[in-house]
Amino acid sequence: RHEEVVAVARDALAAVISQSKLQKELLQSSLRPILLNLADYRKLSVPLLQGLSRLLSLLSNFFNLTLGEKLLEHLRRWTDPEALAKAKTFRPGDD
């Protein structure tokens, strides 16, 4: 069921993008909560990254290269065992 909702929402957004020009200010204000979670790699989660992936596949023209660079930097930190241990994001054994 969740996958159906995601697919319908993606198709609807794709239709809106193809039929009209999105206002940059509206897009930025709508995405601000998601992008704020990217400010700190410790806030990353698999669902957040999956949603971001779907958004970027549709809206890649609206994002600058800095976002991609920052995301790669965060993913490197997020997957670094030493950084995770220092951040104490997960308890030992929660892998």
Side-chain angles (χ1 to χ4, degrees), residues 32-43:
R32 187 167 289 119
I34 295 168
L35 297 176
L36 285 174
N37 282 322
L38 295 176
D40 183 355
Y41 75 94
R42 293 171 292 192
K43 292 183 180 179

Side-chain angles (χ1 to χ4, degrees), residues 12-61:
L13 183 56
V16 168
I17 292 169
S18 70
Q19 294 176 2
S20 65
K21 183 175 169 43
L22 289 176
Q23 295 177 356
K24 188 174 181 176
E25 296 80 23
L26 176 62
L27 183 62
Q28 287 175 339
S29 66
S30 299
L31 294 176
R32 187 167 289 119
I34 295 168
L35 297 176
L36 285 174
N37 282 322
L38 295 176
D40 183 355
Y41 75 94
R42 293 171 292 192
K43 292 183 180 179
L44 293 180
S45 66
V46 172
L48 175 67
L49 293 172
Q50 289 171 333
L52 184 62
S53 172
R54 288 189 290 269
L55 277 175
L56 288 174
S57 70
L58 292 172
L59 303 170
S60 60
N61 295 336

